[in-house]
PDB file of all heavy atoms in Angstrom:
ATOM      1  N   LEU S 228      45.778  42.597 -13.492  1.00 97.00           N
ATOM      2  CA  LEU S 228      46.323  43.246 -12.302  1.00 97.00           C
ATOM      3  C   LEU S 228      45.238  43.474 -11.246  1.00 97.00           C
ATOM      4  O   LEU S 228      45.484  43.322 -10.050  1.00 97.00           O
ATOM      5  CB  LEU S 228      46.967  44.578 -12.678  1.00 97.00           C
ATOM      6  CG  LEU S 228      48.232  44.508 -13.545  1.00 97.00           C
ATOM      7  CD1 LEU S 228      48.675  45.906 -13.957  1.00 97.00           C
ATOM      8  CD2 LEU S 228      49.354  43.793 -12.807  1.00 97.00           C
ATOM      9  N   ALA S 229      44.051  43.821 -11.692  1.00 95.00           N
ATOM     10  CA  ALA S 229      42.983  44.157 -10.760  1.00 95.00           C
ATOM     11  C   ALA S 229      42.333  42.936 -10.128  1.00 95.00           C
ATOM     12  O   ALA S 229      41.903  42.996  -8.970  1.00 95.00           O
ATOM     13  CB  ALA S 229      41.911  44.989 -11.476  1.00 95.00           C
ATOM     14  N   HIS S 230      42.285  41.809 -10.846  1.00 95.00           N
ATOM     15  CA  HIS S 230      41.456  40.705 -10.391  1.00 95.00           C
ATOM     16  C   HIS S 230      42.134  39.344 -10.277  1.00 95.00           C
ATOM     17  O   HIS S 230      41.636  38.477  -9.552  1.00 95.00           O
ATOM     18  CB  HIS S 230      40.243  40.555 -11.320  1.00 95.00           C
ATOM     19  CG  HIS S 230      39.439  41.803 -11.451  1.00 95.00           C
ATOM     20  ND1 HIS S 230      38.764  42.365 -10.400  1.00 95.00           N
ATOM     21  CD2 HIS S 230      39.221  42.622 -12.511  1.00 95.00           C
ATOM     22  CE1 HIS S 230      38.148  43.464 -10.796  1.00 95.00           C
ATOM     23  NE2 HIS S 230      38.418  43.647 -12.068  1.00 95.00           N
ATOM     24  N   ASP S 231      43.229  39.123 -10.978  1.00 96.00           N
ATOM     25  CA  ASP S 231      43.741  37.756 -11.070  1.00 96.00           C
ATOM     26  C   ASP S 231      45.098  37.514 -10.432  1.00 96.00           C
ATOM     27  O   ASP S 231      45.396  36.391 -10.033  1.00 96.00           O
ATOM     28  CB  ASP S 231      43.784  37.320 -12.545  1.00 96.00           C
ATOM     29  CG  ASP S 231      42.401  37.259 -13.158  1.00 96.00           C
ATOM     30  OD1 ASP S 231      41.439  37.000 -12.416  1.00 96.00           O
ATOM     31  OD2 ASP S 231      42.276  37.486 -14.390  1.00 96.00           O
ATOM     32  N   VAL S 232      45.930  38.530 -10.338  1.00 97.00           N
ATOM     33  CA  VAL S 232      47.256  38.331  -9.753  1.00 97.00           C
ATOM     34  C   VAL S 232      47.144  37.799  -8.331  1.00 97.00           C
ATOM     35  O   VAL S 232      47.866  36.881  -7.925  1.00 97.00           O
ATOM     36  CB  VAL S 232      48.072  39.638  -9.789  1.00 97.00           C
ATOM     37  CG1 VAL S 232      49.333  39.504  -8.941  1.00 97.00           C
ATOM     38  CG2 VAL S 232      48.445  39.999 -11.225  1.00 97.00           C
ATOM     39  N   GLU S 233      46.235  38.368  -7.537  1.00 96.00           N
ATOM     40  CA  GLU S 233      46.139  37.931  -6.148  1.00 96.00           C
ATOM     41  C   GLU S 233      45.584  36.521  -6.013  1.00 96.00           C
ATOM     42  O   GLU S 233      45.806  35.861  -4.987  1.00 96.00           O
ATOM     43  CB  GLU S 233      45.314  38.911  -5.317  1.00 96.00           C
ATOM     44  CG  GLU S 233      43.862  39.032  -5.708  1.00 96.00           C
ATOM     45  CD  GLU S 233      43.125  40.023  -4.799  1.00 96.00           C
ATOM     46  OE1 GLU S 233      43.579  40.231  -3.658  1.00 96.00           O
ATOM     47  OE2 GLU S 233      42.110  40.578  -5.235  1.00 96.00           O
ATOM     48  N   LYS S 234      44.887  36.020  -7.016  1.00 97.00           N
ATOM     49  CA  LYS S 234      44.442  34.628  -6.958  1.00 97.00           C
ATOM     50  C   LYS S 234      45.645  33.689  -6.976  1.00 97.00           C
ATOM     51  O   LYS S 234      45.689  32.706  -6.221  1.00 97.00           O
ATOM     52  CB  LYS S 234      43.520  34.312  -8.138  1.00 97.00           C
ATOM     53  CG  LYS S 234      42.183  35.015  -8.120  1.00 97.00           C
ATOM     54  CD  LYS S 234      41.345  34.556  -9.301  1.00 97.00           C
ATOM     55  CE  LYS S 234      39.998  35.227  -9.326  1.00 97.00           C
ATOM     56  NZ  LYS S 234      39.169  34.764 -10.461  1.00 97.00           N
ATOM     57  N   VAL S 235      46.594  33.986  -7.868  1.00 97.00           N
ATOM     58  CA  VAL S 235      47.804  33.162  -7.940  1.00 97.00           C
ATOM     59  C   VAL S 235      48.616  33.318  -6.656  1.00 97.00           C
ATOM     60  O   VAL S 235      49.180  32.337  -6.135  1.00 97.00           O
ATOM     61  CB  VAL S 235      48.639  33.536  -9.178  1.00 97.00           C
ATOM     62  CG1 VAL S 235      49.934  32.729  -9.218  1.00 97.00           C
ATOM     63  CG2 VAL S 235      47.830  33.298 -10.457  1.00 97.00           C
ATOM     64  N   GLU S 236      48.664  34.533  -6.130  1.00 97.00           N
ATOM     65  CA  GLU S 236      49.365  34.749  -4.854  1.00 97.00           C
ATOM     66  C   GLU S 236      48.709  33.963  -3.727  1.00 97.00           C
ATOM     67  O   GLU S 236      49.386  33.398  -2.861  1.00 97.00           O
ATOM     68  CB  GLU S 236      49.381  36.244  -4.532  1.00 97.00           C
ATOM     69  CG  GLU S 236      50.241  37.062  -5.486  1.00 97.00           C
ATOM     70  CD  GLU S 236      50.120  38.555  -5.252  1.00 97.00           C
ATOM     71  OE1 GLU S 236      49.179  38.970  -4.528  1.00 97.00           O
ATOM     72  OE2 GLU S 236      50.952  39.310  -5.775  1.00 97.00           O
ATOM     73  N   ASP S 237      47.373  33.919  -3.714  1.00 96.00           N
ATOM     74  CA  ASP S 237      46.664  33.152  -2.689  1.00 96.00           C
ATOM     75  C   ASP S 237      46.907  31.657  -2.839  1.00 96.00           C
ATOM     76  O   ASP S 237      46.984  30.932  -1.846  1.00 96.00           O
ATOM     77  CB  ASP S 237      45.160  33.428  -2.761  1.00 96.00           C
ATOM     78  CG  ASP S 237      44.758  34.655  -1.955  1.00 96.00           C
ATOM     79  OD1 ASP S 237      45.610  35.193  -1.228  1.00 96.00           O
ATOM     80  OD2 ASP S 237      43.592  35.077  -2.053  1.00 96.00           O
ATOM     81  N   LEU S 238      47.011  31.199  -4.081  1.00 97.00           N
ATOM     82  CA  LEU S 238      47.336  29.789  -4.305  1.00 97.00           C
ATOM     83  C   LEU S 238      48.668  29.461  -3.662  1.00 97.00           C
ATOM     84  O   LEU S 238      48.790  28.456  -2.942  1.00 97.00           O
ATOM     85  CB  LEU S 238      47.387  29.491  -5.805  1.00 97.00           C
ATOM     86  CG  LEU S 238      47.912  28.109  -6.189  1.00 97.00           C
ATOM     87  CD1 LEU S 238      46.934  27.016  -5.757  1.00 97.00           C
ATOM     88  CD2 LEU S 238      48.177  28.026  -7.686  1.00 97.00           C
TER      89      LEU S 238
END
Side-chain angles (χ1 to χ4, degrees):
L228 293 174
H230 304 295
D231 296 331
V232 169
E233 64 179 335
K234 292 183 180 181
V235 177
E236 292 173 346
D237 274 352
L238 171 68

